[in-house]
DNA sequence: CTGTTAGCGCCTTCAA
DNA sequence: TTGAAGGCGCTAACAG
């Protein structure tokens, strides 16, 4: 077994009786004579030598690390995105540093200052709320940043976002086609970017289909979690009697489903439900939930690629990508679908 | 707005008209005269100076990073653990590096070699399968490692593990108390540590309660995922007629629930279901699923603390912690519970 | 092909 | 209090 103490170029060089430069060359596969290669290999092996990553980073001016910060861990959609980003950047030889930011915007500011210390070569950021101060900090960053979601006005950064307003449109249209007329909305907080977008899309879609927008049919959960969804759903059902509910994400949809069922109403016969994000949760649910696929995995992959590209070529033109939504229909919104195997 | 170019100690020193040592001192809050502090502050501000993390690491001999590697991302239980670990290590001033390892043991070997390059100060590892080669590598690591799960025989490392055999016992006992007699098992792969432990616990528990161990009532899914669970559940119900099913985790439990329901059987009346891990999924399910809490969050927190402690004091005695399981009873296993609000 | 050397950016004795 | 200088471990340019 290799030595368990730490070892450096110098130690290996001494043991092999060559210069440190030779060791470096051998370790990096640069040309060297048979003899030297042999002896260095042996010495390195015996010492269990592994080149120090930090020293290399300092020399090279890059860390081979990419930072990822999402506001809402715990939401399954982010887990999937994280997974995908991890896959892509790892394949490109980068490590992924998870920077936990809560919903507090200050966390993100701190993160950006830390980033400027160069602990990573770039950042993928998915902010829930966008403040002016955040915008400034983003603009002033020296390192490449890719935003998942909307960029603050005036900030020129690569970004990928979902078109959740159009997604809402798909959901509403589908429900209208199913003959629903009193379509309610269970949204997340309105002061978040996604929350605002979903509300806008919902109102626009109702209007497009000539349906009235009943304020009592619109509730906003305190956040995008299951628990908050339970309360919001209860409130909704207390104040109106919809025949369909669209939800800002799948967690909220499951919460609505639970409350609806517990009140003795049937899904989809009495109330149809549509979620958003099309996570595994929608499929697991009983009955399975129709959901708007906002292309989370695709967004994640695109974001990772945009960042890799910019790291490769800092001068590349800014790209702003919008991923189109699509609808995955399941049993929760189609009468008779359960029997037909959906 | 601060300059957007990169800046170093030297640049700040020049601009402030002092030596780099003085700048360093001011940045680190060491004693300096009013004047110097003032001028350095100003210069640093104007340049948007932030001390380079890599250089600091090289000098200090530590990265302030902790690596985390779990085999089975996508399983909600790991998401929760990751979240908790992130919380604890962040509070202690460390960044979390996510090292994706698939189920391939070679990935973990590679990870350990990378770790010896010192990209992080320590590692938290949760392996699904434990090979001999992994054991050797673990033993030969120069950096502190905490294992979540069982350590290979002969390897002396800090570790935290769940007692899933006892957990199985709780599940079986609960079902027996509910009057169930034909208790089936939907397990994960038997060549994984958790899979083997769960099977052992199951068999032991049956015996303890004087129940026969019917081989046809035991199936092993190909992995611990929902999809694999669907197949396993179908197989199980094809070959026997249990009145209860214990599952190796909540994903499998939900799969079983789905298949059971789709075959027109009622939960819990015809078949009771118990899951494991007690994730949010168990609560979301319809009906909610009774689940064995294996203390995942507690394990995560403990693992993080053990690693922090060892980083703080490398000489500390090895600690091996076992977290006791407990049972969270929900509607899926108690007849009449749905009406009483469980 | 090989060795010597100059940094990468920072912290930290050691003198002044 | 302040500055000069060495070195953390490595790579790359330059001699030999």
């Amino acid at each position: 077994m290799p030595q368990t103490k730490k070892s450096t170029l110098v130690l290996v060089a001494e043991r092999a009786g060559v210069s440190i430069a030779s060791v470096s060359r051998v370790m990096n596969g640069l040309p060297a004579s048979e003899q030297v290669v042999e002896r260095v290999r042996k010495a390195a092996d015996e010492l269990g030598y592994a080149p120090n990553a930090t020293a290399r980073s300092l020399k090279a001016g890059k860390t081979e690390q990419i930072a990822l910060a999402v506001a809402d861990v715990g939401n399954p959609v982010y887990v999937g995105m994280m997974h995908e980003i991890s896959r892509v950047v790892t394949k490109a030889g980068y490590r992924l540093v998870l920077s936990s930011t809560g919903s507090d915007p200050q966390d993100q500011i701190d993160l950006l200052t830390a980033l400027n210390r160069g602990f990573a070569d770039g950042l993928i950021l998915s902010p829930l709320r966008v403040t002016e101060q955040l915008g400034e900090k983003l603009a002033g960053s020296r390192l490449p940043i890719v935003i998942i979601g909307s960029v603050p006005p005036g900030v020129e950064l690569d970004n990928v976002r979902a078109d959740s307003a159009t997604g809402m449109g798909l959901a509403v249209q589908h429900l209208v086609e199913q003959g629903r007329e009193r379509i309610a909305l269970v949204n997340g907080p309105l002061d978040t970017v996604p929350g605002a977008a979903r509300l806008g899309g919902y109102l626009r879609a109702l209007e497009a289909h000539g349906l009235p927008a009943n304020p009592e049919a619109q509730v906003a959960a305190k956040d995008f979690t299951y628990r908050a969804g339970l309360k919001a759903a209860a409130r909704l059902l207390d104040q109106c009697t919809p025949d369909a509910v669209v939800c800002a994400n799948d967690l909220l949809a499951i919460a609505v489903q639970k409350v609806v069922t517990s009140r003795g109403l049937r899904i989809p016969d009495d109330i149809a439900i549509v979620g958003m994000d099309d996570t595994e949760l929608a499929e697991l649910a009983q009955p399975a939930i129709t959901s708007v696929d906002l292309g989370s995995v695709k967004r994640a992959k695109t974001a990772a690629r945009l960042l890799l590209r910019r790291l490769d070529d800092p001068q590349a033109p800014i790209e702003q990508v919008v991923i189109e939504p699509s609808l995955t229909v399941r049993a929760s919104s189609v009468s008779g679908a359960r029997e037909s195997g959906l």
Side-chain angles (χ1 to χ4, degrees), chain A residues 53-126:
Chain A
T54 306
R56 224 176 228 192
S57 290
L58 180 59
K59 181 66 185 165
K62 46 187 190 169
T63 61
E64 313 272 70
Q65 295 189 154
I66 286 178
L68 170 65
V70 296
D72 189 11
V73 195
N75 184 334
V77 72
Y78 285 114
V79 177
M81 295 181 72
M82 195 176 69
H83 198 37
E84 179 66 13
I85 290 174
S86 165
R87 224 178 46 76
V88 176
V89 303
T90 302
K91 199 161 58 182
Y94 286 86
R95 288 185 296 272
L96 189 65
V97 180
L98 212 60
S99 302
S100 53
T101 66
S103 51
D104 186 356
Q106 183 58 41
D107 289 354
Q108 305 187 353
I109 310 277
D110 293 348
L111 169 63
L112 291 176
T113 355
L115 185 67
N116 272 338
R117 289 163 129 87
F119 76 86
D121 299 336
L123 167 69
I124 298 177
L125 176 65
S126 174

Side-chain angles (χ1 to χ4, degrees), chain A residues 305-317:
Chain A
R305 289 200 179 145
L306 283 185
L307 184 54
L308 291 175
R309 192 188 62 130
R310 182 153 305 284
L311 288 171
D312 197 54
D313 171 19
Q315 306 305 330

Side-chain angles (χ1 to χ4, degrees), chain A residues 193-209:
Chain A
V193 176
R198 281 151 169 79
L199 176 59
Y202 167 78
L203 294 175
R204 188 140 47 86
L206 285 190
E207 193 181 350
H209 290 281

